[in-house]
Structure formats: C-alpha cells, structure tokens
Amino acid sequence: MEMLYALCVGILTTSGIFLTLRGRTFPVVVGLTLLSYAVNLFLFASGRLGVDDAAVLQEGPANYTDPLPQALVLTAIVIGFAMTAFAVILAMRARADLGNDHVDGRLPTIPDESTAREKP
Amino acid sequence: MNLIWVPLLPLLGTLVPLLTERAGRTSCAWATSLLPALSLLIVLFHAPAVLSGATLKSSLPWIPALDLELAFRLDGLALLFALLILGMGLLIILYARYYLSPKDSMGRFYSYLILFMTAMLGIVLSNNLIQLWVFWELTSISSFLLISFWSDKREARRGARMALTVTGAGGMALLAGILLIGNVVGSYDLDRVLASTIQIRNSGYYPAILILMLLGAFTKSAQFPFHFWLPHAMAAPTPVSAYLHSATMVKAGIFLMARFYPVLSGTDMWFLIVSLTGLITLLTGAYFALFKHDLKGLLAYSTISHLGLITLLLGMDTKLAAVAAIFHIINHATFKASLFMAAGIIDHESGSRDMRKLNGLWKYMPYTATLAMVAASAMAGVPLLNGFLSKEMFFSETLHQSTLGALSWLVPVLATCGGVFSVAYSLRFIHDVFFNGEPIDLPRTPHEPPRYMKLPVEILVALCLLVGVLPGYVIGDLLNSASSAVIQGLVPEYSLAIWHGFNLPLAMSTIAFIGGLVIYYNRKVLFQFQAQFPEADAKEVFEKLIQLLMAGCRWLNDRLENGSLQRYLMLMLLFTVALIVTPMMTLNQPAGDRPQLPLGGVEITGAALLILGALATVIWHRKRMIALITLSIVGLIVSVTFARFSAPDLALTQLSVEVVTVILLMLALFFLPQRTPKESSPHQMMRDLAISALVGGMIGTLCYALMTRPLHSISDFFLANSKTGGGGTNVVNVILVDFRGFDTLGEITVLGIAALGIFKLINRMRLFMPAGDERGRPWSNDRYPVILATVSQLLLPLALLVSVYIFLRGHNMPGGGFIAGLITAVAIIQQYVANGVDFIKERLRLNYQWLIGSGLLIATLTGIGSWAFGRPFLTSWFGHFHLPLVGDFELASAMLFDLGVYLTVIGATLLILANLGKLTTSERPVLTKEEL
C-alpha cells in the first residue's frame, strides 16, 4: 500500500512541476494546485498510514492516528486555497494590465529558447 | 561600576552630538566629550585593580539559546587599549572642534567618531569572540563613514570604499577563523579559548585558523600586501587620520594578534608568517614614505612601516619582543597622532599639504613647528624621546632572535635599513616643511592655529618627552600588566633605562642616524632614481579589480537572471535535486522495517483514478476547461484518501476547499484565454518532463522511505493532554485551537491578508471580457434555472444548520471552525451560483472585510482574555455545565477562538469569490441581435 501511495505522490509531484514549468499563467496555477495536493499528501504520510485508526479520543485503549500532521495539513489546505486564489487573481490582473497571460508578462519574441538566450 | 558601561556610555553618546549640534560648536564638543570622559573615569577607577594583576569580568545574557552573552573583560592589554581609545578620543574631539569648518556637519562627524569609539572599545573589552567580531565589523563600517565624511570628494568616496572592501573582506576571514576556533574549543568564550592553547595548536585546523585570523589582522593593520588602502584613507579629515590611522583602528589588527598571542603564537608557522610580513611591511613602508610629497601620505606610509615593526616584534620568538611590541604601540600612538594633528594644523592654516610648496614654516608658526619637530624626532628615534626607547628595544630583540634559522642575521640588518629610511623621512618632514627656504605660492599665509587646537598636540608631545625621560615611572606598570596579559605569564626582566651603555643596538641606532642623514642629503638623486619606475597607483589597480569582479558578477547574473520565470524555476529545481541527491545516495534501500499495509481493491481503484486524473490534467492542460475537470477528480480522490487513512477532518476540509477552488478557477477562466497556445519546443518539453520526473521520483522515494520507517512522534503528548488539558477529544482540533493556537492565529491572519490583497487586486481591474467562448459561441443569456434556484434556497438553512453542527461538535468530533466556515461559504456561494449576484446583494447585506476583521478580533481577544486571569496569551479554559432539557454540555474558551477562525474563513472565502463573481455578471458584455 505504501508503495502505491508513494507512487501517487510522485506522479502528482511530477505533473505539478511539469505544469508549473509552462509558460502561461493558467497551467501554472493548475500545476500549483496539483503540487499542493502532493505536498499535503506527503506531509500527511509523515504520520504514517493507518486504516480505521481512531481519530478521536476514545474510552479504553485504541490505536490512534498521528494528529499532528493532520493539524498541519488542515491549515495547509486552507492556506493553499488562499495561495491559489491569490495566484489566479494575480494572473488575471497581469492579463488585464499587460495584455497577455505569459508568466514573464511579455510574449516570447523568439520561440526557440536557445537563441533567445543569446540576446542581451 | 559595571564594565558594560564603558562601551555603553559612548554608544549612548552617539546621539548627543546630533542633539546638541544646534547649541553651537563649542557646546556641542563639550557635550560630546562628556560621556566618553565618564567612560574614561570608569576605566581609571578600575585601573589600580588591573595593574595589580586582576582581570575584571562582567556579562549579560544576549542569546542564551546560542550560548552567546554580552561579556566584557578588562585585563592589562584591554586597559592599555581602552586608555588609548578614550584618551586619544577626547583629544581628537577637542582638536576636531577647531579643525572642522563651519560648513561641515559637526554633529554627524562627532556621531560617527563616537560610534567608532564604541566599536573599538567593544573589540578590546570583548570576552566573547562573536561579540568581538561584531564590534570589529562596526569599526569597518564606522571608519567607512568617517573616511567618506567629505562625501562630495571623489577620492574620499573611493578611499572609503577601498578601506571598507579590504577590511571587510578581512573581517570575513576573521569570522571564519573565529568559527573554526569555536569549533575546536567548543566555546566562543575568550577565557576558555585562551586556556585552550594546546588544543588549538594540536588541532588539524590550526593552519587554517592561523591564516584566517592573520588575514583579519593584516588587512586591518595595513600589512603588506594589504597596505595599499591606508594611504588612500588619508582622504579623511585629519582628526580621523590621527585617531583611526595612527592610534586606534590600525592597531585593532595588532590588538588581535596580541590578544591571540597566547594561543596562536609559538609555532614555526606563526613566527615565519608574522615576522616576514612585518619585515616586508616595515621596509616597504619606510622606503615609500620618503617619496611622498603629501604630508599625510608620508605619515601614512610611515604608519605602515611602524605597524610592520610591531608585527615583526610579535613574530619574533622571544618574550621580550612582545613587551617591546606593546611599548611601541603606546609610543607610536602618541607621536604619530601628534604628527597627524600637526599636519592637520599646517594644512588648516596654510591650505596645502604638499611638501614641495610648504617650506620655511618655522617663521610663521614657530610654536607648532617645535611641537611637530619633537614628535618627528620621536618618530626617528632620537634619544630622550619615547621612540628611541622602543626602537632600542626593537634593535636589541632583532639581535636575540632566531626566527629565520641560519638567515636570522638578516633581520637586524634589514631592521637597520628600515631605521635609516625612518630617520630620512622624519628629517624630510622637519627640514622640508619648516626650513628649506620660503613657501611657494601657498593659498593662505600660514599662521599659528587657535590656542586650543594646539592643546592636544602639546599633551601628546609632553607624553613623548615624559615617557622618553622617565619611562619607568610613567609607563612601567601599564606596560608590565599589558605585557603579562599578552604573554599570559610573568614578564621577563627588562630595563626601561635610557642609557644601556655602548652596545650593538646603540651602534645600530647610530648607523641609522648617519645613514638617514646621508640619504636625506642625497634625496634628489634618490627621487630621480625612483621617478624612473612607473608608479603603480593602488587605487587604479584596485578599481580595475573591482570592475573586473563586477563584470564577472554581471556576466553570471545575466546568465542566471534573464527575466524568464521558467528558467528560474528550472534552476531552482535542479539545485534542489543537487541538494537532495547526496543524502538520498546514503540511503541504502528505500524500504524501512515498518510493517506495510495490505493492498486492497479500493486503494487500487482510488490510486488509478488519481493517477489517470493527474496525467489527464497534464495531457489536456492546453484545453483549460477539461484540465479543470480532471483536476477536480484528483482533488476528490485526495479527500477520499484522507478519509480512508483515518483523517476525517482532512477529508472534510479538502472536500469543501475543493468546491471553492474549482468555482474560483472556473470564474478565473472566464477572464483568461480558454486555451493555452502551443509554445514550448519539443526539446523544452522533454527537458521539463525530465526535470519534473526526476523531482517527482525523488519525492516519491522520499515519501516511501519515510512511511516505511518507524515513527517517533511528539504526538503522544497531544494525545495524552488533549482531553485533560484542552478539554476536547478531537485532538486535531485541540491542536489547532489550543496547543498551537498561536500558529492558527497567524494563519487566519495570513488568510485575511490574502483575501484583502485579492480584493485590492480586483479593484479597478481592466477586464478582459470575451463576449463568447474561444469558438465564438456567445455566453448564454438564459435566466437562472428555476429548479436549481428553488432547491438551493431550500437547502440553504439545512446547509447552515450542518455547518453550525460541524462547528459546535468540532472540539470533540471531526469538524471545527475551518471546516464549518468553508461549508457556510459553500452554502452561500451556491446561492450566488443559483440566483446571481444581484439577487444576493439585495438579501445578504454582509460586509466581508468586516467579517474578516471581526473574526480576527474575536480570536485575538480570546487570546488576550487569558491575560486577565494572569495566564499567558491564548491559555484556554473549559468547563462542563448542566442545563435542564439540554443536558450536559461543555464550554471552552477555545470555542470562542474557533468562532474567530470560522468567521475569518467565511469572510475570506466569500470576499474572494463573491467579488470575482460580481465582475462576471454585472459587466458582462451582451451581444446584440445583429452581432449574433
């Protein structure tokens, strides 16, 4: 099970990073969202996985999950939303002010990056 | 009186001149000197104890977690330097009062000067190495400010920059050396370091420590090859040169060597490096001093030469040499400071410092001339003056050392050569300036300076004489106690007598005088000889090096920073990979010994959906709407994953955040292009894919390695104390609102700020408003669907009820402020979606900013409330009550805090979404019939 979980985290990270490396704002925002899923799952897993463990205190002995990563991830989810919202609104504002939705705020003049680099 | 006051009073004193500047120049000078004078009194008060052999200490905690304290100690060496710094400082304050012209800002000058004084005192009194270094850097900075005091002059700016660069770089080396010492000794405490001689000398780091510490000392004390900054620092006002560049700052490097003499010296490496550096510096300084036409230039090179002499003495392998070094520190400070002041008077009253123009000043200022001639004679080492005594000691020590092995005879010979030049340039100072015909077109007719401008020079020259005639009475005790602090033991027998009989050192002195006379007499020949060499201007070389460095940095910067976010991200990721790779390599196998969970059908299905969703998002990322839908699949699976692995709180949060995120992105998509153009080259695609796969693979492996290893968590504490201490059984919620309540408070503040930032960004945004989708199909103009509107209105009370229920039970069951807030927000947004902004605007008069504010206020007040009961911020309280009909229930102050969280979350979410939504409806362009 752990292997599959780790595979999911890896694939989410890969997809997220690939999208954040794109040149337009919207894919970057989507990539950030994917990446924050991956980060949250990763953080959550630091408390180790457990099926049907007790999340709330019970009478008598019980097998509890680790509440600390959960508390961390809970706030991370909410803050992640605020971050996504900020990024997306910033993207809109950039689009409105600059006339394009490229992450650099200007459209690449030469599509081939290797030649663009030599320009001063 | 506590020692801390010694540097603290001058530190407070930096403000005094700024405050009293308006009161007039004399009052300002008096007020400025008050606190340093008090500080001097404290030092004098402690002096008898120190002279009798005690070491006074005093400390205050600074950063206890790092084992740092503000620690001061006063031993013989520190006493000597403290007296020099404070005494000389007071004379300089008096001198500067007359030197500065009315258009110079006196307050600023004094303020810098006192700041520098504080820094120097901090260095010599520090009992902690890190603290010493902080003050060391402060001297570099304050000296930069002082040298560039006349900042309108280009040479002042350049000289200051050069001094700062050289001494600052040396400071970095010193820090590295100090850190290494701290590493070896295990403490930055000077007492402990000084007691760890063997430990340091035997450690493998010793060569590195020695070289780094010496780099710090040599740069500060202008030793060859770092000597070039000192002549250029002469662009400073003369009081600064007299103070910093003769008596104090350049002696800081010497002080450092003397301070660490007990631990660092005694090895061949020390003797060789220090003595050779000193010797070369002594000779080059003395030689070049002769050829400087500028008075201050001559004095600067002479200072370099004398600093070399002291360094050479510290680098010799006899204990008496160290005593001679200390003695010469005192003597050099007195005669050189008075010479600088005299040079300043000459410059001030005649308008020039060029010795080719300044001639025959004896007639115009006989009194100053006498003082200057006595001081210059001390510099040359004329008997009955202090310079003679330390020079004799120096000559005699050169004869008794064996530092260079079989070549040790070179040292006395070269020392005598240095002496020859020293006599020659002193003669030039006296003869060229005060005799040698008439002045040549000076800007002003020279005359004697104001009475009190001469006073500091008189005092210093008197000291030169006193020490020269009665050395034992005047300086004996101080010299003894300072020397024993350097040697860390008994000072060997030595005699401070004026007359030692006819011996070799006296012969060397005689040779030096005769040689000096001969050289001075034939100076024209020498000048012509020297003129053949193209003069390498250190400033130009230095500037060129700096330019080269700048060009290099710019080149590198242009390569790295080309304005492309994609490139930055790529570099950052590659760097991250480089950082992770090494520790990952040491991980022999990814799997640990923790038993793993069995794989079931549910998990496989979920994982398959999640992976397919993620891949689909990537593959169709250009079709933005489709990518959004596949993204939401991933989000849903993530929340299901949380539910599966026993985290109901997270599942609830993720689920509700998922709803608002997708709505947000859909709204945003309305204002953004619907498709992403194909821009990336196949090469770039492959590269990005490789990088992301590499990072993803690493993160996955790391995650796997983490999960399969046993867990040692601090959570047991939370589990044990949640009910008893926090009054709730939902440990996650109790952590949020109680154990880590302060974090949560910060977090909701960030949330509120982000929402307000978004609100501001949306405000007055020039909108990109497509009239239809990317295929040109116009937006639907249908009314809001009736069924949806009706059902959602019916659902609203229910949804709100659920959210209240989730909120109330949060402390004991999954739920809480965050989740309840999100659910409420979703319920209200549903109304927006179903009925439109205008409909809601009429019915729901909520000011969302106000909501955020009140939420934060409630949370903060709850925290402050615990102060009223004498408890720390955010201490929670709870109790159980019984009400008829309702039954037993619990009240906790944490719930009030949670209410703050709840309100902030609602306010922030709605502020973002409702404002964005408003834009889409109210200003949507409607196509007319014709356009359709």
Side-chain angles (χ1 to χ4, degrees):
Chain A
M1 183 60 235
E2 272 81 358
M3 181 77 92
L4 192 64
Y5 188 94
L7 179 72
C8 290
V9 171
I11 286 186
L12 280 181
T13 314
T14 310
S15 326
I17 287 182
F18 179 77
L19 287 182
T20 47
L21 283 169
R22 299 300 95 217
R24 300 296 174 135
T25 49
F26 195 78
V28 172
V29 172
V30 172
L32 279 178
T33 313
L34 279 175
L35 199 57
S36 61
Y37 291 150
V39 170
N40 288 342
L41 284 176
F42 185 98
L43 280 180
F44 173 62
S46 72
R48 309 300 184 266
L49 302 182
V51 179
D52 294 336
D53 285 353
V56 172
L57 291 183
Q58 290 170 354
E59 300 287 331
N63 200 11
Y64 290 111
T65 62
D66 193 342
L68 189 60
Q70 293 196 16
L72 290 177
V73 172
L74 199 153
T75 49
I77 293 172
V78 180
I79 288 288
F81 164 68
M83 183 200 69
T84 311
F86 199 86
V88 93
I89 304 293
L90 204 59
M92 282 172 54
R93 182 82 201 214
R95 162 82 205 245
D97 289 359
L98 303 167
N100 66 70
D101 68 335
H102 199 274
V103 285
D104 299 337
R106 53 170 195 267
L107 290 176
T109 39
I110 303 163
D112 187 18
E113 210 214 8
S114 57
T115 51
R117 201 183 306 156
E118 274 141 35
K119 283 188 64 115
Chain B
M1 280 297 270
N2 201 315
L3 272 184
I4 289 170
W5 288 103
V6 177
L8 194 62
L9 284 175
L11 184 65
L12 295 174
T14 50
L15 297 175
V16 173
L18 296 174
L19 297 174
T20 54
E21 192 177 6
R22 297 226 181 117
R25 287 149 60 80
T26 310
S27 322
C28 180
W30 275 113
T32 305
S33 55
L34 190 67
L35 287 173
L38 270 178
S39 191
L40 182 63
L41 281 180
I42 298 175
V43 174
L44 287 174
F45 171 76
H46 288 303
V50 175
L51 288 179
S52 62
T55 299
L56 306 176
K57 284 169 202 173
S58 160
S59 66
L60 272 184
W62 179 15
I63 311 174
L66 291 176
D67 193 22
L68 281 183
E69 47 181 19
L70 280 176
F72 296 94
R73 72 181 249 156
L74 188 70
D75 60 358
L77 186 66
L79 175 70
L80 166 66
F81 271 91
L83 289 178
L84 264 181
I85 293 160
L86 287 165
M88 204 68 88
L90 288 171
L91 295 182
I92 295 293
I93 291 173
L94 175 61
Y95 178 80
R97 150 72 185 83
Y98 296 96
Y99 180 84
L100 292 179
S101 76
K103 63 176 191 287
D104 294 324
S105 162
M106 198 169 219
R108 196 160 62 92
F109 181 83
Y110 276 149
S111 192
Y112 293 161
L113 195 77
I114 306 294
L115 181 67
F116 171 80
M117 186 188 279
T118 312
M120 274 309 294
L121 284 172
I123 292 181
V124 301
L125 293 173
S126 279
N127 200 13
N128 178 300
L129 299 193
I130 299 286
Q131 182 195 332
L132 184 149
W133 180 79
V134 171
F135 283 116
W136 182 276
E137 291 297 278
L138 194 58
T139 59
S140 296
I141 292 163
S142 50
S143 82
F144 170 81
L145 293 171
L146 282 168
I147 297 170
S148 61
F149 181 70
W150 287 321
S151 54
D152 51 326
K153 288 192 192 162
R154 181 179 152 87
E155 57 177 24
R157 293 195 305 269
R158 285 178 129 195
R161 203 165 58 190
M162 192 190 288
L164 183 68
T165 313
V166 176
T167 55
M172 288 293 133
L174 175 66
L175 178 64
I178 285 175
L179 292 178
L180 278 180
I181 289 183
N183 195 20
V184 170
V185 179
S187 166
Y188 295 111
D189 191 42
L190 189 63
D191 293 326
R192 280 187 56 192
V193 171
L194 288 182
S196 319
T197 309
I198 299 173
Q199 209 178 337
I200 291 177
R201 263 184 225 164
N202 291 347
S203 95
Y205 289 120
Y206 175 75
I209 292 177
L210 180 64
I211 287 172
L212 288 167
M213 300 292 280
L214 286 181
L215 271 176
F218 287 172
T219 46
K220 201 82 162 178
S221 283
Q223 295 296 298
F224 182 86
F226 309 109
H227 62 287
F228 56 87
W229 68 265
L230 187 57
H232 292 289
M234 290 301 134
T238 302
V240 174
S241 307
Y243 193 39
L244 272 65
H245 305 131
S246 71
T248 52
M249 183 164 108
V250 289
K251 297 275 168 61
I254 304 283
F255 171 82
L256 191 75
M257 284 190 270
R259 182 46 100 201
F260 289 93
Y261 190 82
V263 278
L264 293 180
S265 77
T267 60
D268 288 344
M269 200 170 164
W270 165 279
F271 291 134
L272 209 63
I273 298 178
V274 177
S275 64
L276 276 182
T277 310
L279 192 60
I280 296 172
T281 313
L282 164 69
L283 286 173
T284 39
Y287 179 74
F288 284 110
L290 185 59
F291 301 105
K292 291 292 147 190
H293 300 302
D294 178 18
L295 263 183
K296 280 177 81 179
L298 184 148
L299 291 178
Y301 274 98
S302 142
T303 303
I304 292 173
S305 159
H306 281 274
L307 291 169
L309 189 153
I310 300 171
T311 307
L312 172 58
L313 277 169
L314 285 172
M316 284 186 203
D317 53 1
T318 62
K319 284 191 170 172
L320 218 45
V323 180
I326 300 295
F327 195 24
H328 200 67
I329 289 173
I330 308 171
N331 296 338
H332 176 250
T334 44
F335 66 66
K336 191 53 65 66
S338 53
L339 279 172
F340 266 117
M341 289 185 195
I345 291 176
I346 293 166
D347 183 17
H348 200 253
E349 307 305 339
S350 70
S352 172
R353 295 193 321 232
D354 192 332
M355 276 185 281
R356 287 165 297 192
K357 293 180 181 172
L358 292 166
N359 295 314
L361 291 190
W362 170 261
K363 268 188 283 183
Y364 302 94
M365 38 171 72
Y367 191 71
T368 310
T370 315
L371 291 174
M373 284 192 292
V374 175
S377 311
M379 174 161 79
V382 172
L384 292 184
L385 292 167
N386 58 358
F388 171 72
L389 294 173
S390 46
K391 192 168 255 185
E392 286 291 283
M393 273 172 100
F394 164 60
F395 282 153
S396 128
E397 287 317 304
T398 57
L399 294 168
H400 292 120
Q401 47 76 41
S402 55
T403 315
L404 297 182
L407 286 176
S408 293
W409 59 269
L410 265 174
V411 178
V413 173
L414 292 175
T416 317
C417 290
V420 169
F421 278 101
S422 152
V423 170
Y425 67 65
S426 303
L427 265 176
R428 182 167 185 221
F429 187 95
I430 296 171
H431 188 255
D432 271 21
V433 175
F434 299 113
F435 305 101
N436 202 21
E438 281 295 308
I440 303 162
D441 57 15
L442 286 177
R444 286 194 280 273
T445 311
H447 56 84
E448 287 285 355
R451 177 71 200 92
Y452 289 106
M453 197 173 183
K454 283 180 290 195
L455 186 64
V457 192
E458 285 164 7
I459 293 173
L460 290 172
V461 169
L463 274 175
C464 288
L465 269 165
L466 266 175
V467 173
V469 179
L470 299 167
Y473 292 103
V474 180
I475 205 79
D477 286 344
L478 187 59
L479 180 58
N480 246 332
S481 92
S483 304
S484 74
V486 173
I487 304 170
Q488 291 274 303
L490 273 181
V491 182
E493 275 299 312
Y494 66 92
S495 145
L496 276 180
I498 308 171
W499 179 248
H500 286 108
F502 291 102
N503 55 10
L504 214 46
L506 191 66
M508 287 161 79
S509 281
T510 319
I511 296 173
F513 276 110
I514 296 168
L517 271 169
V518 172
I519 284 191
Y520 181 67
Y521 193 73
N522 298 310
R523 62 190 183 280
K524 297 245 162 59
V525 186
L526 258 176
F527 283 8
Q528 273 166 10
F529 170 74
Q530 184 61 21
Q532 299 169 36
F533 301 102
E535 197 170 357
D537 189 353
K539 195 150 46 182
E540 296 309 319
V541 178
F542 179 80
E543 285 291 323
K544 206 168 273 175
L545 276 175
I546 294 289
Q547 294 297 336
L548 216 66
L549 188 70
M550 294 296 279
C553 292
R554 203 168 294 132
W555 178 85
L556 191 69
N557 208 36
D558 287 347
R559 292 292 163 284
L560 292 175
E561 227 179 279
N562 61 348
S564 156
L565 181 72
Q566 287 163 283
R567 162 166 294 234
Y568 300 163
L569 271 180
M570 185 188 79
L571 288 174
M572 221 152 72
L573 287 168
L574 286 178
F575 190 66
T576 316
V577 169
L579 280 183
I580 308 179
V581 152
T582 338
M584 289 278 272
M585 295 280 206
T586 58
L587 213 63
N588 287 327
Q589 51 170 18
D593 351 310
R594 196 171 189 270
Q596 302 191 11
L597 292 176
L599 202 56
V602 183
E603 284 91 353
I604 296 178
T605 318
L609 275 171
L610 183 130
I611 292 171
L612 284 177
L615 293 181
T617 313
V618 170
I619 292 166
W620 285 315
H621 76 268
R622 271 196 212 91
K623 297 170 182 164
R624 295 181 171 180
M625 196 61 209
I626 294 177
L628 204 51
I629 292 167
T630 50
L631 178 75
S632 64
I633 296 176
V634 179
L636 282 177
I637 300 294
V638 170
S639 50
V640 171
T641 311
F642 288 137
R644 176 71 184 163
F645 295 113
S646 332
D649 285 286
L650 291 190
L652 284 170
T653 316
Q654 182 69 55
L655 201 64
S656 30
V657 162
E658 203 46 44
V659 174
V660 282
T661 308
V662 170
I663 292 176
L664 169 82
L665 289 179
M666 283 182 73
L667 280 173
L669 207 49
F670 178 74
F671 298 102
L672 291 168
Q674 307 294 307
R675 280 170 174 269
T676 308
K678 200 168 180 174
E679 267 176 348
S680 308
S681 61
H683 153 157
Q684 199 185 349
M685 286 290 233
M686 282 315 288
R687 191 192 65 192
D688 291 351
L689 212 54
I691 292 175
S692 41
L694 196 62
V695 179
M698 279 190 172
I699 299 295
T701 317
L702 212 59
C703 185
Y704 183 65
L706 186 74
M707 279 189 293
T708 51
R709 279 164 172 73
L711 172 67
H712 307 284
S713 164
I714 55 168
S715 299
D716 293 337
F717 170 82
F718 297 128
L719 287 168
N721 290 292
S722 174
K723 177 82 183 156
T724 50
T729 52
N730 182 5
V731 189
V732 177
N733 184 267
V734 176
I735 291 178
L736 285 176
V737 298
D738 192 335
F739 292 123
R740 311 294 305 165
F742 201 54
D743 295 357
T744 309
L745 182 61
E747 200 143 29
I748 54 175
T749 313
V750 171
L751 192 68
I753 292 171
L756 289 176
I758 288 168
F759 183 60
K760 189 75 195 151
L761 276 176
I762 291 177
N763 193 19
R764 301 224 184 144
M765 179 148 71
R766 282 191 297 121
L767 285 170
F768 164 80
M769 288 284 240
D773 70 359
E774 89 267 22
R775 288 188 198 155
R777 289 177 298 205
W779 302 118
S780 152
N781 280 323
D782 293 351
R783 297 180 56 79
Y784 292 98
V786 180
I787 297 178
L788 178 65
T790 319
V791 171
S792 66
Q793 278 175 38
L794 283 175
L795 272 176
L796 179 66
L798 201 61
L800 291 178
L801 197 66
V802 168
S803 82
V804 171
Y805 170 65
I806 292 270
F807 172 76
L808 284 178
R809 71 173 207 165
H811 217 45
N812 291 312
M813 299 292 280
F818 276 112
I819 301 166
L822 284 165
I823 291 175
T824 309
V826 169
I828 296 176
I829 285 165
Q830 197 189 18
Q831 304 306 311
Y832 274 103
V833 173
N835 299 303
V837 173
D838 298 329
F839 176 85
I840 304 293
K841 210 190 267 174
E842 286 166 23
R843 285 162 184 81
L844 187 70
R845 299 188 185 281
L846 263 183
N847 180 337
Y848 301 126
Q849 289 109 290
W850 183 83
L851 212 56
I852 295 175
S854 55
L856 285 177
L857 200 65
I858 290 175
T860 316
L861 285 179
T862 314
I864 290 176
S866 48
W867 284 347
F869 301 96
R871 298 296 174 84
F873 188 63
L874 271 174
T875 311
S876 73
W877 164 90
F878 66 94
H880 294 266
F881 299 90
H882 183 82
L883 268 186
L885 291 176
V886 181
D888 277 320
F889 68 101
E890 184 195 346
L891 276 181
S893 69
M895 287 181 79
L896 207 56
F897 181 80
D898 219 9
L899 181 69
V901 175
Y902 173 74
L903 292 178
T904 313
V905 170
I906 298 177
T909 316
L910 287 179
L911 186 66
I912 297 167
L913 287 178
N915 277 300
L916 196 55
K918 211 160 28 184
L919 295 178
T920 58
T921 44
S922 57
E923 296 167 38
R924 178 190 296 179
V926 180
L927 290 186
T928 53
K929 283 262 164 61
E930 290 80 55
E931 281 174 308
L932 286 168

